Amino acid sequence: AQSVSQHNHHVILSEAASLELGCNYSYGGTVNLFWYVQYPGQHLQLLLKYFSGDPLVKGIKGFEAEFIKSKFSFNLRKPSVQWSDTAEYFCAVNAGRDDKIIFGKGTRLHILP
Amino acid sequence: NAGVTQTPKFRVLKTGQSMTLLCAQDMNHEYMYWYRQDPGMGLRLIHYSVGEGTTAKGEVPDGYNVSRLKKQNFLLGLESAAPSQTSVYFCASSYLGYSNQPQHFGDGTRLSIL
């Protein structure tokens, strides 16, 4: 069965620091990959997605993620975080032609002003 | 542009009571999902539907039932609420399940079982 692992459960950074959140999945075939963000008290919103083509995907608010097939990874990055990036971030994978998307357990990001 | 609407937003129940959560989407999406979100557990899929009149079990279906009588609505029922069902429930919809269409989420229902 497919699964998603997010290695960092809680990350604390200062403003302007660089960010990288890890995400690994377990599935050997074709995958669709997503990063969602949940700001405090809000619902999940899509940050970016990868389906095919360029493995470096750019999303909203300056976020990007790189799909490395050989490592089964889809890490999220941002060169310089802002206080407003404080949120919980979820990696998700849709494998093959499954009807479901599997979410990771989330990484809670706290940015110090 | 309503998107995905969940009602109610908050509810407190006593153990053994029943209730139904309603999810409505106005995007003509085929797929609808119910998740529960618990601290440190991420989102876990309860049930989902790939179209009107269909339902399927997700990762944690026990204690819940669902119905999709109309394409735009997906109901989640708790027949006999238990404290372990205290959670935040999110509904989501998407155009297709396995395509490149992301899921659109509602604002959530915070449910407490005493």
Side-chain angles (χ1 to χ4, degrees):
Chain A
Q2 53 184 292
S3 65
V4 179
S5 297
Q6 292 182 242
H7 317 295
N8 315 104
H9 300 294
H10 196 186
V11 174
I12 302 174
L13 294 173
S14 297
E15 273 193 313
S18 64
L19 169 71
E20 181 161 3
L21 302 182
C23 174
N24 286 89
Y25 64 92
S26 63
Y27 185 76
T30 302
V31 291
N32 299 319
L33 297 160
F34 307 83
W35 274 98
Y36 284 85
V37 61
Q38 184 179 29
Y39 297 105
Q42 296 186 24
H43 61 264
L44 275 76
Q45 304 171 42
L46 183 69
L47 263 183
L48 47 79
K49 59 187 179 184
Y50 170 81
F51 302 120
S52 62
D54 189 344
L56 184 61
V57 180
K58 294 192 183 299
I60 61 172
K61 303 186 179 185
F63 286 91
E64 65 179 31
E66 185 175 11
F67 171 51
I68 303 179
K69 188 173 182 179
S70 61
K71 295 185 178 180
F72 299 90
S73 70
F74 190 56
N75 292 355
L76 181 70
R77 301 195 293 248
K78 185 171 183 178
S80 177
V81 294
Q82 300 172 310
W83 178 80
S84 58
D85 293 325
T86 294
E88 191 160 14
Y89 293 80
F90 294 91
C91 181
V93 61
N94 167 249
R97 292 178 68 81
D98 196 356
D99 296 325
K100 306 182 293 295
I101 291 178
I102 303 300
F103 286 84
K105 291 185 177 356
T107 296
R108 196 175 294 273
L109 176 64
H110 188 74
I111 306 300
L112 302 174
Chain B
N1 188 12
V4 179
T5 303
Q6 291 183 233
T7 53
K9 296 191 184 305
F10 305 95
R11 187 72 183 267
V12 178
L13 292 178
K14 294 182 179 180
T15 297
Q17 286 185 314
S18 64
M19 80 160 296
T20 300
L21 307 184
L22 172 63
C23 177
Q25 53 93 4
D26 62 1
M27 297 171 284
N28 202 33
H29 284 170
E30 290 292 336
Y31 286 64
M32 297 187 75
Y33 309 80
W34 275 108
Y35 295 90
R36 58 177 291 172
Q37 184 181 27
D38 302 290
M41 301 295 289
L43 272 77
R44 292 182 291 170
L45 183 64
I46 304 171
H47 287 280
Y48 65 102
S49 168
V50 303
E52 182 178 320
T54 73
T55 63
K57 294 181 179 180
E59 184 183 356
V60 288
D62 294 341
Y64 305 95
N65 57 74
V66 288
S67 65
R68 183 95 181 269
L69 298 179
K70 293 182 179 181
K71 185 177 183 179
Q72 63 268 34
N73 296 337
F74 194 30
L75 279 63
L76 177 71
L78 285 72
E79 291 183 346
S80 179
S84 61
Q85 294 176 306
T86 293
S87 186
V88 180
Y89 291 85
F90 285 99
C91 176
S93 71
S94 64
Y95 180 60
L96 289 175
Y98 53 76
S99 76
N100 59 3
Q101 300 301 313
Q103 297 187 342
H104 297 259
F105 284 83
D107 288 336
T109 295
R110 188 172 296 274
L111 184 62
S112 294
I113 315 296
L114 304 178

